Amino acid sequence: MSTKRITIKDLARHLELTEGTVSRAMNGYADISARTVERVRHAAVELGYKPNQNARCLATGEAEAVAYVIPQNHSSLAEPFVSQLLRGLDESLSRRGWDLLVSHSRSAEDEAEKIQRLVTSGRVSGVVLTRPFKHDNRIKLLQKAGFPFVVHGRCSACSDYSWYDIDNELAIHTAVTHLVELGHSRIAFVGAPLYYNFAFQRLEGYKSGLQTAGLDYDETIVEIAELKDEAGESAAANQLDANHPPTAFVCSSDTQAIGVLAALRTRGLTAGKDVSVIGYDGLRFGRHTNPPLTTMAQPQVQSGRELGDMLLAIIDGDSPAQHQILKRAELVLRSTAGPLRDRNYH
Amino acid sequence: MSTKRITIKDLARHLELTEGTVSRAMNGYADISARTVERVRHAAVELGYKPNQNARCLATGEAEAVAYVIPQNHSSLAEPFVSQLLRGLDESLSRRGWDLLVSHSRSAEDEAEKIQRLVTSGRVSGVVLTRPFKHDNRIKLLQKAGFPFVVHGRCSACSDYSWYDIDNELAIHTAVTHLVELGHSRIAFVGAPLYYNFAFQRLEGYKSGLQTAGLDYDETIVEIAELKDEAGESAAANQLDANHPPTAFVCSSDTQAIGVLAALRTRGLTAGKDVSVIGYDGLRFGRHTNPPLTTMAQPQVQSGRELGDMLLAIIDGDSPAQHQILKRAELVLRSTAGPLRDRNYH
DNA sequence: TGCTATCCCGAAACCGCTTTCGGAATCAAC
DNA sequence: GTTGATTCCGAAAGCGGTTTCGGGATAGCA
C-alpha cells in the first residue's frame, strides 16, 4: 500500500540527468538551462517528489526548523497565549517552508537539558524562549553555544541578544494612571513572582505610576502571586479582608484578575463599581467575565510573527543586538475599572 | 564563540575506536564489551556529544518526531484545548526522546499540501489529526500513503484507522437527560457545522436524548453555529427573541455556551435560573463565567498522552485498527443548569 | 595441542541530498 | 579558423550517523 517514497535518484533517472543536476535545478542555481529547470520542476510535481529533509539538512547544515520552548508552570487559563503565539510563529516560518517544533519541560534542569539537546542535535536552527527570569541560565547557555535565539521578554542584561518585549513598566504605569484618573488612590498591585524579569518591571511600573500621581508606595497592598486564577483570588482575599482595603487592583495577568473578580463576587462586591480591577494580557476570555475585564492587551499572533521574522534574520547572519523590539500594550477599556465611589463600600 | 559541534568522529578518535563501534556502543548493541560501552558513555557526556538527528534519522529511516496538525478556524477562545493536547502529546513523545512538530494551515488545500509534505519529507514518522470531517480527505491521503497516523475524533468510516474519541452522542444525550430531569422540555440545541463528524454525532445525541425522554424533535430550536462565542451569542439571540423560546440550551462547545450566556445577560435573564445552559469541553475558564458553566468535560492532557502512545505503537508496527479508544465525557455540574421555573419568565 | 565457539571490534557500504570542480560543447569575436 | 569566454551538465566528495559483515583474539573443551 505504501507507495515507495521517491528520491532524487528516481527523479534523475526518470529525466536521464544526474542527481546533482536535478538538485541544482530544484534549488535555483544559475548554471542550469531554463529548459532543464522546467523539465525538472514539472517532473517533480508529476512524480510528487519532495526532498528528504533529513538528507537535505544534513548536507546543508541548516535545520530549516526552529523550536519554541513552552514556559513551564503556566496556568492552563493562559494557554491561548501560547497557542496564538505558535500560530504567529508558524506563519512566519511557513513563508520559508520551515517547520516549528515545540518543547515542553517538567523542571528547570529538564529544560536546560532539552535546550542543550536542541542546540547540539542539529534538528533546529534556532529557538525562541519566553518569560525570561531575571538571571536566566538558558540565555547564557545559548549565548555560550553561539546558537541563534530570540527571547520573548527581556532579562536583566539584555543588551547583547535579541528580544521582543512589551514595555511592562509603561503598561502598568498606564494602568495605575488610569485608575488614578478615576479617583482611586488606594491601588493594590498583584505582582508575579520576582524571579521573572517582567514581574520586576511591572512592579517598577506600579511604583512609578504611584510616584507620578504623588502617591506613596505601600507594600502592604502589594501581593506577589503566581499567574493563576486561584493565586489571584487568594491575593485579593488577603487585601479585601484587611482593615483598610484597597479600592482598586492592578494585576499582572488576566488570569490573576479573574481570580480577583471571583474574590469580589464572593464578598458581594461589584467590579467596576465597588472595586476596580485591571488585568494584563488582553485574553479574549476577558470579554466574557462579569463584568467584562478592563486590561492591558498585547497582540500575541503578531508577537509570534515578529519573533519568527527576527529569529530568521539572526539565523541568516544578522547580529542579535540589532533585533530588539519594544512594543507598548494597549489599555482595553471594558467594565471592571470605574470611578471611585464617593463613600466607601463599608 | 560557537564551540565546534562535536561529532561521532571526534568521539571515536578521542577513544581510539571506530565510528561504527562508538555508534553501536551508544545504541546498546550486544557485541560491544561492557568496558567499552562504559568508556563511550562516559566520554559522550564528558565531551557533550549528542548525535546529529538529521544524520541519524537519515541512516535509520526513522524521523523520531511526529506532527500535530492544528485545526484551522478554531476560535481563539478554544485554544487551551490545543495547548493542553500538545502538552499531553509531548509528554508521551518525550519518554522516547522524540520531538513534536506543529503545523498550522490557512486553508483546506494548504492543509493537504502540508500533510503531503510531512509524509514525504521524512521529517516525521507519524501525524495526529484533529476534528475530522464527515468525509475527510486528509485521512484518505494518509491511508493511501500508508503513513502512520491517529485521529482525535472519528469520521464516518472509521473502522480501519486509529482514533481516540469522546462518545459525542452519549455526552449530549447525557446533557439533554440532565436537563429533562430538571424539568425542561423545550431544550434548544446549538450544533456545530455538520461537515464535522462530531457535530453530526452530537446532533444524534441530542435527538436520541429527546427521544428517550419522549420529547419531539423540533428543528426550529436547533441552531447550527461555528464554535465561537459570537456564533453562540447570535444563535441564542435567534432563539430567545422568537415566539416560544426554549428554557434550556445544549451547546456543542464551551465557547458557544459563553456566547449564549452573553445573550442571556443582554436580555436580563439569569443562566441557571431563567434559562439553563450546558456547554461542552470542560475548559477551565468555565469556572469563571457568571454563573459558572455547567459542561461536559473531556480531559485534554490525557487525550494528548494517549494519542501519543497510540501513534507510537502504530509506528512500531501495530495495526491501526487495533488502537481505537472511546471515552466518555463527564458532566461537570456548576451553576448554569437549574430546575425549570414554575412559571415562564415572560 | 588443536579445533570450534564466543566475544569484540574494524571496515565499508549506505541513507538522500548538496555543492564544488572540471570539462565538453556552444558561442562570440578577431 | 584559432582563441577565449559562456553555457550547461556530469562526476565525486562530503554531511554524520547506522548497520551488516567478516575476521582476529580469546576462551572452552576434548
Side-chain angles (χ1 to χ4, degrees), chain A residues 270-285:
Chain A
T270 304
K273 302 213 151 133
D274 299 319
V275 176
S276 289
V277 180
I278 298 185
Y280 195 110
D281 278 340
L283 298 188
R284 183 171 175 96
F285 173 61

Side-chain angles (χ1 to χ4, degrees), chain A residues 100-151:
Chain A
L100 176 59
L101 266 73
V102 302
S103 168
H104 295 78
S105 37
R106 305 205 140 293
S107 62
E109 305 81 58
D110 186 32
E111 191 172 26
E113 187 171 347
K114 290 209 171 180
I115 291 178
Q116 186 65 54
R117 178 167 170 279
L118 286 173
V119 170
T120 55
S121 76
R123 188 153 257 185
V124 296
S125 302
V127 314
V128 11
L129 251 44
T130 323
R131 283 198 200 151
F133 303 115
K134 214 156 168 355
H135 302 286
D136 202 306
N137 288 323
R138 306 171 300 173
I139 293 178
K140 289 181 194 144
L141 192 159
L142 288 166
Q143 282 182 315
K144 207 170 60 185
F147 198 76
F149 71 101
V150 301
V151 183

